[in-house]
Amino acid sequence: MESSSLLSTSPGLPDAEAARRALREAAASRARVADSVSSPWWYHSGLGLAFALVCAAISLRWADWAMGPFVVVVLGLGWALSRTSGVTFDRYTSTPDAGRYFGAYLLACLVLVASGMTLEWGFDVRWAVAGAGLAAGVLTVVMGYRVDATVRRELRACR
């Protein structure tokens, strides 16, 4: 009995309509944040291209000069993304499903690149690392968009 009397007549506590209005405003705010976490088209494409190019450089035996620019490009893309979206967070592990997708993506990239290196360096199959890098680059783009969609969905659902 005490709880119902507190909610209905206590000064300082919102009435039921004010509480519903606050919940609607919170849901609208969450939806705005979910919409702003989408990456621009160039982010995932840039990452995929960077991975493909660095693997091609490894196949060409130019890895010693390619790793520095690769790191700069990846960090630069992350910086530019945070500047354009206005939201900085770890999109790949921020929600449960996004973390699962990202884990599967990392494992697939590891298997691809390790297979390419084994073929190229162990069995002398030219351009195997570059081919694996191209596949990893395409996977980076596809999974990047999948993770973005997953994060948006889970943020809207309060996960």
Side-chain angles (χ1 to χ4, degrees):
M1 287 295 224
E2 285 182 42
S3 62
S4 65
S5 63
L6 281 176
L7 288 176
S8 60
T9 60
S10 293
L13 291 177
D15 63 354
E17 183 54 38
R20 281 191 285 276
R21 193 171 41 252
L23 287 172
R24 282 191 303 271
E25 289 172 8
S29 176
R30 191 174 46 252
R32 281 191 304 274
V33 169
D35 290 338
S36 70
V37 300
S38 295
S39 302
W41 68 268
W42 47 262
Y43 178 70
H44 299 301
S45 301
L47 283 178
L49 182 61
F51 286 128
L53 289 176
V54 79
C55 288
I58 290 170
S59 280
L60 291 168
R61 311 298 193 259
W62 296 344
D64 52 342
W65 71 265
M67 287 302 166
F70 171 73
V71 170
V72 169
V73 166
V74 170
L75 292 175
L77 284 169
W79 176 81
L81 175 65
S82 68
R83 300 286 294 170
T84 58
S85 69
V87 177
T88 302
F89 70 104
D90 186 4
R91 68 187 63 249
Y92 297 105
T93 58
S94 60
T95 64
D97 286 346
R100 283 189 279 280
Y101 281 130
F102 186 61
Y105 159 76
L106 287 178
L107 182 62
C109 283
L110 180 66
V111 167
L112 279 169
V113 173
S115 299
M117 289 178 174
T118 300
L119 287 171
E120 187 157 335
W121 296 334
F123 297 100
D124 202 31
V125 177
R126 290 294 290 160
W127 297 100
V129 175
L134 181 61
V138 170
L139 185 62
T140 297
V141 174
V142 170
M143 288 304 289
Y145 284 116
R146 168 53 64 198
V147 166
D148 272 358
T150 300
V151 168
R152 281 192 309 274
R153 182 183 36 113
E154 288 187 326
L155 284 176
R156 283 189 184 105
C158 297
R159 289 188 68 197

